[in-house]
Amino acid sequence: MSTPNTSRLLKYFDALREGAEQAMDADSSVFMMGLDIDDHKGIQGSTKGLVDKFGPERVFTTPLSEDAMTGVAIGAAMAGQRPIHVHIRMDFLMLCMNQLVNIAAKSHYMYGGTVQVPLVIRTMIGKSWGQGAQHSQGLHSMFAHVPGMKVVAPSNAYDAKGLTMQAVRDNNPVLIMEHRLLYGTEAYVPEEPYTVEFGKARVLREGNDLTIVGVSNMVMEAMRAAELLAEQGIEAEVIDPVTISPLDFDTIEASVNKTGKLLVVDNAWLNCGFSAEIVARVAESENISLKPAVKRMGFAPTTCPTTPSLEDAFYPNPKTIAITAYQLASGKQDWVPADDQCQLAYQTQFKGPF
Amino acid sequence: MTEYSTVEARLYASIALVRRAEEVISEIYPSDKIKSPVHLAIGQEYIAAAVIDHLRGSDYASGTYRGHGVYLAKGGDLNSMMAELYGKKTGCAQGRAGSMHLVEAGKGVIGMSAVVGTGIPVAVGHALAIKQQRRNDVVVAFMGDGSTEEGCFSESINFAALHKLPILFVVENNRLAIHEPLHKRWAADTLTERVATYGIPATRFLEPDVLAIHEHVGKVIDDMRTEAGPAFIECHTHRWYEHVGPCEDYDQGYRSLEEGEQWRAKDVYVTLGQSLDEKEKAQIDQDIEASIQAAVEFAEQSPFPAAEELYNYVYA
Ligand SMILES: Cc1ncc(C[n+]2csc(CCOP(=O)(O)OP(=O)(O)O)c2C)c(N)n1
Ligand SMILES: [Mg+2]
């Protein structure tokens, strides 16, 4: 991992908070708005303390009016402010879709470059404990579809801070897609301000046998699967795209050219999604000499159920990823990892309700 | 159906069932058998009870993720609800809903949504269908104060008023959206006045006067069945428990225990219970305990859906 080493471990939610805090320190036009960001829970800690430090003019809750509030944030951004609009679940962004797609994403182009919308949308995918149909969706593909929008997906605390700081500096609408189960995970995070570049994927693990691209928390699950595969003598190269749009396809292309096998594990449905985009670009690539074997994994093509017995079958997990990768890499079906090896700490630690 | 000697007894039975069911849910919750976010309406049950008492089987009621009371008052089956909370195959949505999306189409319980406000226009759509089908049924849409901030609240009322649809909008104004108090969300505490400007009857109840609400809604719904068009009521109330989860949370500092104590002193479950004939009350309580016990056993003994069932019901 190319992450710079510092001595401080920080949790993902703390890193999100620190990124926003330092961005607000550096630039008085940055402000944060969103339902419940100023209460004692502070969006699971990720906005905690900000209202105390910056006051209610720069950190405020809103009425339950996502559609209008998105428009308000866009207008403020056009007029020179740099809003960070926070939503505790990505599902609620459906109420913001019109403003984001028809105004935020298009204004710079539609108004001939005379207008900018430096807006940051922070939002979180939920999972487990009966989050169910309306608190679990990964909708990044919908937003990434639209020119003018940028979409980033931090899979660890280092990126959570660096992408937040970069998003605030960017002069375009940027959607930060976080994941609830990553909130408690730790990484080495520098204390000083820094940015993580958009459009630069990270190779988390090198290998020659197959390429696995994971999105958001599926990066973590793919890493666990890769460890299990290594015990079977299969070396997976695991890639975190870090940003969905813009996408660093070159890194993926180079890896697939080396391994000849590609597994994409998305944190979303497959149909018309980001995983399909990656595979399509691989198919179109003139730099990949041999036709690679490809496979995609993601949500089952159903609505997310609440009961654990169905939810378990809905999501990919280290076990199903490892099995699929093993078959893809070896052509064999003679290995299934033991359940207890496939547990991830963050999953066993998470207890609801939200 | 049980016969009760008085309206008070009937309302008490409805309130007590929800109160006790939710108290039992909060007791079970720490065991992790219920892996679903639960939004308890303890303290607010009297509103749904008073309103839904006037509904027939063919009428509709829509609630929110805080919907145990609406579901049960409208005739939703307690066993199916409990099993749904447990994620069991015998649940009202076969383990796909949890506590937040209760439904019982056969009893006129419109499926509940956890995206705030989304249920309001859907309820209006049921009223439109009633009108088009020339039925004299009605719809009641329950919602929180927070949902009135969504655009679709105003848009829905405007449309319902325009088309004189048979729907009663009921705002359970507990003056909180999660932890955010009303004064951080509304410039003026005049919701009822605002709604009245759509030209529909709009009435506010500041006190938990279950009989006054009951009487008022009775008249409104009678008129509605003879094409009077929509109406609105706002009931100030108090949420006793945390927004989501099985505990009280006055220690969290965002609201005062004094306010809670004032409301608890007026607890309808207690005051209405005290007004009943003692023997009748004891019988009601006993029946309720038995039915809740049975529902918990039913839920515990029911199987989980099998993994293959994941793919059922994607398309109709
Ligand atoms: C559109 C949308 N925005 C935000 C949320 C998160 N949320 C869940 S409940 C809630 C508060 C709703 O308050 P209110 O309507 O007063 O109902 P109450 O919970 O008090 O019954 C919020 C903000 C959501 N579920 N849906
Ligand atoms: Mg409320």
Side-chain angles (χ1 to χ4, degrees):
Chain A
M1 188 157 164
S2 61
T3 302
N5 205 4
T6 79
S7 60
R8 187 185 57 151
L9 276 174
L10 203 63
K11 290 210 158 89
Y12 189 93
F13 69 83
D14 268 332
L16 286 167
R17 185 193 42 70
E18 191 170 278
E21 182 180 345
Q22 292 180 353
M24 292 179 76
D25 274 335
D27 181 348
S28 63
S29 69
V30 181
F31 72 95
M32 184 182 276
M33 58 189 269
L35 283 169
D36 311 306
I37 63 169
D38 63 349
D39 73 11
H40 59 283
K41 301 231 164 139
I43 314 292
Q44 268 105 30
S46 67
T47 62
K48 212 166 170 174
L50 294 178
V51 68
D52 303 324
K53 174 160 179 181
F54 297 106
E57 219 174 296
R58 286 181 75 191
V59 178
F60 56 90
T61 190
T62 71
L64 280 79
S65 309
E66 288 88 346
D67 178 9
M69 289 305 107
T70 305
V72 168
I74 291 169
M78 287 174 171
Q81 298 299 95
R82 291 187 172 266
I84 305 174
H85 191 187
V86 182
H87 303 267
I88 201 162
R89 282 291 175 280
M90 193 163 204
D91 314 69
F92 309 155
L93 284 189
M94 295 298 91
L95 284 140
C96 314
M97 200 76 175
N98 176 46
Q99 287 289 343
L100 289 178
V101 173
N102 284 326
I103 308 292
K106 293 183 173 42
S107 289
H108 188 63
Y109 188 89
M110 185 164 75
Y111 302 128
T114 59
V115 172
Q116 294 184 347
V117 185
L119 165 67
V120 178
I121 308 287
R122 266 195 51 202
T123 188
M124 193 196 310
I125 304 179
K127 182 175 175 180
S128 295
W129 207 272
Q131 305 268 323
Q134 300 173 334
H135 284 74
S136 61
Q137 298 172 86
L139 299 168
H140 43 289
S141 302
M142 285 189 184
F143 293 96
H145 184 64
V146 181
M149 281 295 299
K150 296 187 179 181
V151 181
V152 308
S155 70
N156 58 78
Y158 178 84
D159 287 344
K161 176 172 171 181
L163 289 173
T164 300
M165 300 210 70
Q166 180 56 35
V168 171
R169 288 182 198 183
D170 201 289
N171 287 325
N172 300 281
V174 178
L175 196 154
I176 304 176
M177 181 174 75
E178 304 152 14
H179 196 286
R180 177 69 184 98
L181 292 191
L182 295 174
Y183 262 47
T185 62
E186 290 182 325
Y188 290 104
V189 176
E191 284 175 30
E192 62 276 11
Y194 63 92
T195 56
V196 167
E197 199 184 330
F198 289 1
K200 198 151 180 20
R202 189 173 281 131
V203 179
L204 292 175
R205 194 180 191 289
E206 290 185 16
N208 289 318
D209 296 329
L210 87 158
T211 303
I212 305 181
V213 178
V215 176
S216 180
N217 77 319
M218 285 301 151
V219 173
M220 305 290 274
E221 314 228 349
M223 285 296 281
R224 181 71 195 124
E227 286 165 10
L228 300 171
L229 289 165
E231 288 171 16
Q232 300 304 310
I234 291 173
E235 293 302 333
E237 183 144 301
V238 179
I239 298 177
D240 178 353
V242 185
T243 64
I244 307 288
S245 180
L247 172 64
D248 171 12
F249 181 63
D250 291 351
T251 298
I252 296 170
E253 188 179 53
S255 177
V256 173
N257 219 358
K258 177 174 75 174
T259 64
K261 300 190 171 71
L262 172 65
L263 172 63
V264 186
V265 191
D266 200 357
N267 205 341
W269 294 290
L270 303 184
N271 196 29
C272 298
F274 180 56
S275 64
E277 176 63 30
I278 293 177
V279 171
R281 291 202 201 185
V282 165
E284 282 174 344
S285 167
E286 285 169 5
N287 299 322
I288 296 174
S289 35
L290 287 171
K291 185 180 178 299
V294 294
K295 203 88 185 121
R296 295 184 293 150
M297 300 178 76
F299 296 171
T302 74
T303 292
C304 179
T306 48
T307 187
S309 72
L310 297 182
E311 202 194 44
D312 286 349
F314 177 80
Y315 289 109
N317 56 50
K319 183 173 182 172
T320 58
I321 296 169
I323 293 170
T324 306
Y326 181 84
Q327 288 180 12
L328 189 63
S330 71
K332 293 188 291 190
Q333 303 196 13
D334 57 354
W335 171 72
V336 170
D339 282 329
D340 60 335
Q341 284 195 297
C342 299
Q343 291 288 330
L344 278 167
Y346 75 43
Q347 221 143 19
T348 43
Q349 278 160 12
F350 181 74
K351 240 189 89 170
F354 284 105
Chain B
M1 282 268 299
T2 321
E3 290 295 328
Y4 299 98
S5 68
T6 59
V7 175
E8 286 84 347
R10 198 166 69 230
L11 293 176
Y12 172 79
S14 175
I15 292 165
L17 174 64
V18 180
R19 171 69 56 94
R20 287 296 303 136
E22 290 203 329
E23 283 176 348
V24 169
I25 288 166
S26 81
E27 284 156 23
I28 295 169
Y29 207 77
S31 71
D32 291 351
K33 289 179 189 164
I34 297 173
K35 285 189 186 60
S36 169
V38 290
H39 302 74
L40 303 182
I42 289 181
Q44 307 185 182
E45 315 90 335
Y46 63 92
I47 304 169
V51 171
I52 293 176
D53 190 54
H54 297 290
L55 299 188
R56 314 187 288 219
S58 52
D59 294 329
Y60 300 106
S62 104
T64 69
Y65 50 86
R66 200 180 301 289
H68 301 150
V70 171
Y71 172 93
L72 290 173
K74 188 65 181 68
D77 181 55
L78 178 59
N79 285 1
S80 315
M81 182 182 100
M82 201 62 84
E84 188 58 45
L85 266 58
Y86 273 74
K88 297 299 180 73
K89 187 174 162 55
T90 51
C92 64
Q94 298 180 41
R96 288 161 177 76
S99 162
M100 295 195 291
H101 310 298
L102 297 175
V103 63
E104 177 99 60
K107 293 285 168 82
V109 180
I110 300 173
M112 296 173 194
S113 169
V115 182
V116 174
T118 43
I120 305 169
V122 174
V124 172
H126 284 71
L128 177 65
I130 286 173
K131 191 175 174 201
Q132 291 176 336
Q133 294 161 6
R134 310 253 186 283
R135 292 152 59 185
N136 69 349
D137 294 326
V138 301
V139 184
V140 179
F142 292 88
M143 65 203 78
D145 44 299
S147 74
T148 70
E149 294 149 25
E150 296 288 0
C152 67
F153 168 76
S154 311
E155 294 167 24
S156 297
I157 293 188
N158 180 49
F159 180 81
L162 182 68
H163 288 270
K164 285 210 169 324
L165 300 181
I167 179 164
L168 172 65
F169 301 94
V170 179
V171 171
E172 300 182 352
N173 184 355
N174 60 18
R175 316 187 72 71
L176 283 175
I178 307 191
H179 311 114
E180 300 290 5
L182 210 64
H183 68 85
K184 283 171 76 180
R185 300 179 283 120
W186 296 6
D189 190 356
T190 48
L191 174 65
T192 297
E193 289 83 346
R194 269 185 276 145
V195 171
T197 65
Y198 287 98
I200 68 172
T203 308
R204 176 187 292 122
F205 293 89
L206 292 171
E207 292 298 320
D209 186 342
V210 65
L211 296 176
I213 297 170
H214 183 260
E215 190 187 338
H216 173 78
V217 169
K219 284 192 220 116
V220 165
I221 286 187
D222 280 349
D223 292 347
M224 213 173 267
R225 295 196 196 280
T226 52
E227 296 175 12
F232 171 92
I233 65 170
E234 174 190 3
C235 300
H236 284 205
T237 190
H238 185 73
R239 191 188 82 214
W240 290 22
Y241 280 46
E242 56 192 332
H243 168 70
V244 56
C247 302
E248 296 182 1
D249 68 345
Y250 292 98
D251 59 342
Q252 298 293 306
Y254 69 93
R255 58 173 176 169
S256 76
L257 182 58
E258 291 70 53
E259 190 197 351
E261 279 168 348
Q262 283 169 23
W263 279 94
R264 280 157 199 246
K266 300 182 282 196
D267 184 5
V268 178
Y269 170 62
V270 172
T271 55
L272 198 61
Q274 283 164 348
S275 77
L276 302 192
D277 170 69
E278 258 179 51
K279 256 182 70 188
E280 187 171 19
K281 177 176 181 296
Q283 188 61 51
I284 292 171
D285 288 341
Q286 192 186 324
D287 291 350
I288 285 174
E289 295 311 316
S291 66
I292 294 172
Q293 211 40 57
V296 171
E297 274 161 33
F298 175 79
E300 302 217 331
Q301 281 158 20
S302 294
F304 282 104
E308 308 82 71
E309 294 174 48
L310 176 64
Y311 295 91
N312 296 350
Y313 313 121
V314 176
Y315 293 100

